[in-house]
Amino acid sequence: MPDPQHPRSTVGRVYLVGAGPGDPGLLTLRGAECLARADLVLYDGLVNPLLLRHSHALAEQTCRVDGPAGRVLRQDEINRRLIEAARSGKTVVRLKGGDPFIFGRGSEEAAALSDAGIPFEVVPGITAATGAAVYTGISLTHRDHASAVAFVTGHEDPTKSTSLDYVALATFPGTLVFYMGLHRLGAIAQSLIGAGKPTSTPVCVVSRATTPRQRSVTGTLQDIASLATAAELHAPSLVIIGDCVRLREQARWFEDRPLFGQVIGIARPEEQADDTALRAVELGAQPLVLPTIEIAPPDNWEEVDAILSRLNEYDWIVFTSVNGVNGLLGRLLESGRDMRAIAKSRLAAIGPSTAAALRKYSLRADLVPTEFRAEALARELGPHVAGKNVLWARASRGRDVLPVELAAAGATLKQLVVYQNRDVDRLPASSLLPFERGEVNWIGLSSPSIARSLARLLTDDAKSWLGNKTKLASISPVTTAAAREAGLPIAAEAVEFTWEGLFQAMIISSGEKPEES
Ligand code: SAH
């Protein structure tokens, strides 16, 4: 999309955008707008890759250490990349963890752009301190406990000569938040005690704040270093020091979410996993997308196009998936027609997601069965279709319940393949690795074909965790049967046959209370 504020300039623009501390919901609206119009995104190691779904651009990670994510890019190289891309006319987003101007060298990048005459904009973000504090239930400026808050770098070694004045910090009338201080925690605590801060001052170390892997350890200046070591906390971590830490139990909420900290494999095609992944995050879980099948358009559109020109012949159109809705109605719009082409037809949707997909086209389903499965759809549709023409917008493969049952009910059924549903040959290594390491708690199976593909695609190492560390939840009895037949043990089954039902089954099986959606 061209940048509406700067149409047709030959030099592109750079947006330095704060990505927030980890939770993908903690991005500003402006940040999302910039991502949507970017041609290139350079993001740093603290950024949650889930944010990249706001962008269609080429995205590249910049790292401070060589590793699987990529090669180290030095700061001057990053600056040069930004300048070069902008000069070639690209709209560039430089996405940085937290707020770009808080301990993030964002101001140096801005200065380099300014020197090079590149237009830029800086979009603030939620910095780790406020994110970590709120997600652990701490008010950094609680009026009974702090009149001020200081963001302090823990990067400087307090035992050597340092620009930090520990006497001033020890007498500071408020909360101290140390960034980059985990590995110097002992020295920082001892320096503050040495400068007169009471040993009993409460401290909370929060690691991976605002993500499903958030962990927090609470202690005092005296014992926090050994507590943090014992808990084996990981970077990035933040240290919050002050009396406000005492009140955290009253305001804690995030770590109490029903699937907090659970890693959940979501076996869905890539392009459909977004909403489900976000719901998993909302429940406190870490989603891991497992694209076991891929969705593709039909090999050719001839048959679909022929039917589109005479849709008014159908009394009912039946949709059994979101893809079916998008396949048929997307093609209808592309062909230059609009929804008046189906004005005479009544519409049936198998469940709430399919009905919601219809609503995106301003259509209301006339029939959604009380139970979201083909048998129930056939049963409830049956009385309406005797002697009628029915069109089923379907996948290239699937169950044959509808044709049999609707024919028995006296309908003339036209089955129209509007999308293909194909098995992938292998799962990406990034999806498989956490399974092989036994880091995954749940996999949600949302159809029999997904269950069968998963049985084929999981490696023996990954399978060795099934049933103990990694549990499987099935969306319906039909899926359970297919999974068992393929040798997969099922630990929980959804009562309502939707992804929400799957999550609730996982929650109940983990011994938690189900939650209202
Ligand atoms: N610009 C960033 C900070 C960059 S410095 C911001 O505004 O948040 C990197 C330090 O930030 C880390 O060493 C750690 O102390 C802190 N940090 C960043 N993300 C964090 C997270 N999710 N949890 C805890 N600390 C975090």
Side-chain angles (χ1 to χ4, degrees):
M1 203 205 312
D3 182 338
Q5 281 180 6
H6 305 277
R8 297 277 128 233
S9 80
T10 44
V11 176
R13 199 174 174 77
V14 177
Y15 296 90
L16 293 176
V17 176
D23 182 334
L26 298 184
L27 174 76
T28 60
L29 289 175
R30 182 65 181 152
E33 282 166 11
C34 295
L35 280 170
R37 68 168 70 128
D39 302 308
L40 173 70
V41 179
L42 281 184
Y43 63 105
D44 76 22
L46 285 174
V47 169
N48 188 336
L50 280 176
L51 288 180
L52 299 175
R53 70 188 189 90
H54 294 288
S55 169
H56 300 291
L58 183 70
E60 237 178 84
Q61 191 178 20
T62 59
C63 324
R64 278 177 302 168
V65 281
D66 277 321
R71 187 177 70 81
V72 180
L73 274 190
R74 287 196 323 274
Q75 190 62 52
D76 54 339
E77 269 183 276
I78 294 173
N79 297 352
R80 210 176 53 235
R81 290 286 307 279
L82 296 175
I83 292 166
E84 273 168 16
R87 285 208 173 124
S88 71
K90 292 199 168 108
T91 300
V92 186
V93 166
R94 169 69 174 140
L95 195 56
K96 296 175 72 75
D99 180 282
F101 278 13
I102 299 229
F103 296 127
R105 303 189 71 172
S107 55
E108 293 167 43
E109 293 176 14
L113 294 168
S114 167
D115 287 348
I118 306 287
F120 65 92
E121 174 180 328
V122 187
V123 182
I126 293 178
T127 189
T130 53
V134 168
Y135 277 54
T136 43
I138 294 171
S139 163
L140 296 174
T141 57
H142 191 290
R143 65 190 175 118
D144 295 339
H145 298 283
S147 326
V149 54
F151 295 168
V152 188
T153 172
H155 204 53
E156 295 175 7
D157 186 346
T159 61
K160 306 233 172 73
S161 85
T162 155
S163 56
L164 287 176
D165 176 346
Y166 272 82
V167 175
L169 289 177
T171 53
F172 183 73
T175 309
L176 302 174
V177 184
F178 280 85
Y179 285 68
M180 303 169 282
L182 183 64
H183 62 297
R184 295 225 166 88
L185 184 54
I188 291 169
Q190 284 315 312
S191 300
L192 287 171
I193 291 170
K197 196 136 180 105
T199 52
S200 60
T201 309
V203 185
C204 181
V205 182
V206 193
S207 95
R208 296 170 169 169
T210 80
T211 76
R213 294 196 291 174
Q214 171 172 313
R215 299 210 19 228
S216 52
V217 171
T218 308
T220 63
L221 272 185
Q222 185 66 46
D223 61 14
I224 193 67
S226 51
L227 291 173
T229 309
E232 296 180 24
L233 293 185
H234 290 276
S237 289
L238 205 73
V239 184
I240 303 175
I241 304 174
D243 286 332
C244 61
V245 167
R246 269 189 240 284
L247 299 178
R248 67 167 295 207
E249 287 308 318
Q250 292 171 347
R252 62 182 267 159
W253 57 278
F254 180 64
E255 292 178 20
D256 295 338
R257 287 183 159 186
L259 290 171
F260 180 72
Q262 306 265 315
V263 180
I264 298 183
I266 295 179
R268 301 204 79 179
E270 195 82 69
E271 50 286 340
Q272 282 170 26
D274 267 8
D275 292 350
T276 315
L278 287 183
R279 179 68 182 142
V281 169
E282 223 169 60
L283 293 168
Q286 162 109 12
L288 178 67
V289 176
L290 295 170
T292 54
I293 53 177
E294 60 188 10
I295 300 298
D299 283 335
N300 69 66
W301 287 103
E302 268 170 37
E303 197 187 6
V304 177
D305 288 346
I307 297 272
L308 284 179
S309 64
R310 46 189 178 83
L311 276 174
N312 55 3
E313 291 173 14
Y314 293 97
D315 305 295
W316 279 90
I317 305 179
V318 179
F319 296 97
T320 48
S321 69
V322 173
N323 290 310
V325 172
N326 292 331
L328 188 75
L329 301 182
R331 185 68 185 173
L332 177 77
L333 292 177
E334 265 170 39
S335 72
R337 300 178 178 86
D338 65 26
M339 295 309 140
R340 286 170 298 179
I342 54 167
K344 289 216 185 101
S345 316
R346 306 194 75 202
L347 307 175
I350 196 165
S353 313
T354 308
L358 284 172
R359 274 199 297 281
K360 291 200 177 137
Y361 294 88
S362 302
L363 296 170
R364 199 183 297 279
D366 298 292
L367 188 147
V368 180
T370 41
E371 209 187 3
F372 312 137
R373 55 196 302 220
E375 284 79 357
L377 178 61
R379 196 170 53 239
E380 293 182 35
L381 192 56
H384 303 284
V385 295
K388 305 277 187 198
N389 275 328
V390 179
L391 178 68
W392 176 24
R394 64 168 296 176
S396 50
R397 60 178 186 183
R399 300 173 61 220
D400 277 327
V401 175
L402 276 185
V404 174
E405 297 294 324
L406 293 184
T412 307
L413 180 70
K414 171 67 193 163
Q415 302 186 44
L416 183 63
V417 172
V418 296
Y419 68 96
Q420 301 190 60
N421 165 332
R422 290 196 295 238
D423 290 334
V424 298
D425 296 333
R426 64 171 68 89
L427 288 172
S430 56
S431 303
L432 264 179
L433 207 60
F435 279 96
E436 295 178 338
R437 292 195 189 130
E439 291 167 359
V440 179
N441 302 93
W442 281 102
I443 309 177
L445 299 175
S446 56
S447 77
S449 63
I450 285 176
R452 283 187 288 268
S453 330
L454 198 74
R456 185 171 55 81
L457 293 167
L458 285 182
T459 53
D460 288 344
D461 280 349
K463 280 188 182 154
S464 68
W465 298 97
L466 294 183
N468 42 68
K469 175 69 202 248
T470 307
K471 289 187 277 182
L472 292 156
S474 146
I475 200 163
S476 67
V478 179
T479 303
T480 302
R484 295 212 165 113
E485 199 167 301
L488 301 176
I490 295 293
E493 188 180 272
V495 176
E496 190 194 81
F497 306 152
T498 59
W499 255 98
E500 187 57 29
L502 268 173
F503 284 133
Q504 297 304 327
M506 295 174 195
I507 293 170
I508 291 166
S509 170
S510 311
E512 299 282 341
K513 273 200 336 278
E515 101 147 15
E516 299 291 322
S517 55

